[in-house]
Amino acid sequence: MKKPLRSTQWFGRTDRDAITHRSWMKNQGIPHDQFDGRPVIGICNTWSQVTPCNAHFRELAQHVRDGVLDAGGFPLEFPVMSLGETLMRPTTMLFRNQAAMDVEESIRANPFDGVVLLMGCDKTTPALLMGAASCDLPAIGVSGGPMLNGKYRGTEIGSGTMVWKITEMLKTGEMKPADMLEVESCMSRSAGHCMTMGTASTMASMVEALGMGLPTNAAIPAVDSRRRVLARMAGRRIVEMVHEDLRMSKILTRKAFENAIMVNGAIGGSTNAVVHLLAIAGRIGVDLTLDDWDRLGRNMPCLVDLQPSGKYLMEDFYYAGGLPAVMKEIGKHLHKKALTANGRTIWDNVKDAVNYNEDVITPLGKPFKPQGGIAVLKGNLAPSGCVLKPSAATPALMKHKGRAIVFEDIDDLNARIDDPKLDVDADCVLVLKNCGPKGYPGFPEVGNFALPAKILKKGITDMVRISDARMSGTAYGTVVLHTAPEAAAGGPLALVRSGDLIEIDVEKRKIQLHVSDAELARRKLAWKPLPPHSDRGWVKLYCDTVLQADRGVDLDFLVGQSGAKVGRESH
Ligand code: FES
């Protein structure tokens, strides 16, 4: 016999509490037959006007709702904390875990049998997956889709990536402020999230590669009618998933994460995916590590010629065949039997995909870039590891030794980076401290900071940069990120001084600070921790309990699951 649905513990009774549960719901015009034991589907919505990438989600939710009704389910939309990358200070990453807690507790406390997760802007995707994973109900992800390609005076421009270019062009005088205003209007010309292979597009691809979304979820533009169809189909499908008891833990297996890591390499995905997948894996109970990222991504070529590593944008990617075409191309590397949300295996989903444009999605035998994965470097400067994205870096700098120029924090960097008196040349290694999870606080995307103006004016566009920060998925450069432990946690990065020699060797996965152990021990004795950022509220809880980058930056007490056990009544 089938076990009764979770929601019947609210609606399927005849006692006083059940009257309370149903009666107040009826004030929304819900007929009594909706409480007849059909699956109750939560539509978890991150709509917000201050999250512009998700500002079309009220309409998208309607399509999900239609799908749930088509399939005989009972849809109930609910809001959760939204995280808008472009406005929130000091950084959305400070709040990813807070949003995940909101999602987890909202799902567990309410009468849901399954949930549809509406996600778009960078942190909304991992936050919803993390929170839902800790409940482990049937769940399906629907991404909001990328904006249409940016168009500026006959050229295609990509969100984020163009911002970094403009910043440099303004520094060198190549662009006038008046032109800048025109560029910003041309860059964001439709609903949707960043249309480069930045973090949002990467995470939408991860949803599809993990099997948590329907095929083609990653790339359909936000305003393409097929995005609405996908939302409706997801609404239909979640009802079936509830009947099949297809919970997240049946999809999010180690093999699914390994597939996702390989896909991240093949698409030249964001370094931020490293942190987010580690955190999601931690919630569902899969023991994923940084070493898995290096091992599985090491030999995976980057097939997709998209900004920031290449030239095309997500709209082109979708028309070329999107993620199914990429997954078919790398099929021999994938765990083909991994189960997905539509009940089919990942290989069943992609085996008939067609690549319609080999300029955008290159063949595996003739890849766009030979190395697509994330390189994990270790050494005395990063005992727990740090990451670099080879496909976005300069090949000549992948083995490099240089004199450190140290900035103690972001304010120090902003004050001195463009000082004509800064003693810097192109061979130096720029080091930025105190921008990690605890240090900033919140682990911001400042690791791809612009080069000193005097270097840019010489026509030099890249230098080795090392920090404990993240970088935007839309950024590029030879940028070593996520150095762990971070400076604020007393990691060796805190001990670097200007003039020290630093060496990176990406091929050998090494990062070395050429300072003796005895001298480092002396410096450690003199090191003092930063004063606390706050003595109350979320920031205090976060700073007291956040894990380092190599552990996914979740809060230590949130790792794992509490399931979806129904709590006691409130009346
Ligand atoms: Fe939202 Fe880029 S700012 S996805």
Side-chain angles (χ1 to χ4, degrees), residues 384-402:
S384 302
C386 55
V387 305
L388 175 140
K389 183 175 170 182
S391 65
T394 302
L397 290 173
M398 304 280 258
K399 184 169 165 45
H400 183 80
K401 192 192 230 178

Side-chain angles (χ1 to χ4, degrees), residues 381 404-408 413 429-433 449 464-467 493 496 502:
L381 189 50
I405 307 286
V406 174
F407 301 96
E408 290 299 324
L413 177 102
V429 173
L430 303 173
V431 175
L432 173 61
K433 301 179 184 175
F449 54 91
V464 175
R465 285 155 276 176
I466 299 174
S467 73
L493 190 71
V496 185
I502 295 178

Side-chain angles (χ1 to χ4, degrees), residues 232-436:
R232 186 160 180 156
M233 299 311 284
R236 291 181 183 178
R237 177 59 195 151
I238 188 66
V239 177
E240 295 171 357
M241 289 171 76
V242 169
H243 289 308
E244 294 162 12
D245 195 28
L246 181 49
R247 285 174 284 115
M248 282 181 84
S249 55
K250 295 184 182 169
I251 295 173
L252 290 181
T253 59
R254 166 164 266 280
K255 287 186 173 156
F257 283 100
E258 293 190 352
N259 281 345
I261 291 173
M262 288 185 274
V263 169
N264 186 270
I267 61 174
S270 163
T271 46
N272 288 323
V274 178
V275 177
H276 298 322
L277 259 60
L278 289 173
I280 298 162
R283 294 298 186 99
I284 205 77
V286 170
D287 182 24
L288 200 69
T289 66
L290 266 186
D291 292 336
D292 291 318
W293 276 90
D294 196 71
R295 179 176 58 84
L296 294 159
R298 182 177 274 261
N299 296 318
M300 182 59 72
C302 173
L303 305 187
V304 177
D305 183 357
L306 250 61
Q307 295 183 32
S309 299
K311 72 174 176 216
Y312 294 104
L313 294 165
M314 287 299 284
E315 205 182 329
D316 310 307
F317 182 47
Y318 178 56
Y319 303 146
L323 203 69
V326 174
M327 293 187 80
K328 183 185 177 191
E329 193 65 31
I330 64 165
K332 66 178 185 191
H333 296 288
L334 296 177
H335 300 295
K336 292 182 174 165
K337 291 190 177 149
L339 184 62
T340 74
N342 66 1
R344 292 158 42 117
T345 67
I346 196 86
W347 188 243
D348 281 340
N349 286 345
V350 305
K351 67 180 189 315
D352 298 321
V354 177
N355 182 351
Y356 296 105
N357 188 337
E358 292 198 351
D359 287 337
V360 179
I361 302 171
T362 58
L364 188 58
K366 217 173 141 209
F368 166 53
K369 295 209 173 184
Q371 253 195 312
I374 306 285
V376 177
L377 315 186
K378 285 191 181 161
N380 70 344
L381 189 50
S384 302
C386 55
V387 305
L388 175 140
K389 183 175 170 182
S391 65
T394 302
L397 290 173
M398 304 280 258
K399 184 169 165 45
H400 183 80
K401 192 192 230 178
R403 174 171 59 93
I405 307 286
V406 174
F407 301 96
E408 290 299 324
D409 57 27
I410 194 72
D411 299 321
D412 185 29
L413 177 102
N414 290 336
R416 293 195 296 125
I417 188 83
D418 292 331
D419 185 342
K421 293 203 285 292
L422 188 70
D423 178 22
V424 64
D425 60 57
D427 291 330
C428 288
V429 173
L430 303 173
V431 175
L432 173 61
K433 301 179 184 175
N434 291 313
C435 292

Side-chain angles (χ1 to χ4, degrees), residues 51-54 83-87 120-123 147 159-160 192-196 198-201 445 472 474:
T51 306
C53 306
N54 299 13
L83 304 172
E85 201 63 32
T86 51
L87 299 179
C121 198
D122 294 10
K123 305 304 178 296
M147 290 188 269
S159 344
H193 60 67
C194 292
M195 81 314 256
T196 44
T199 305
S201 300
E445 296 185 333
S472 163
T474 61

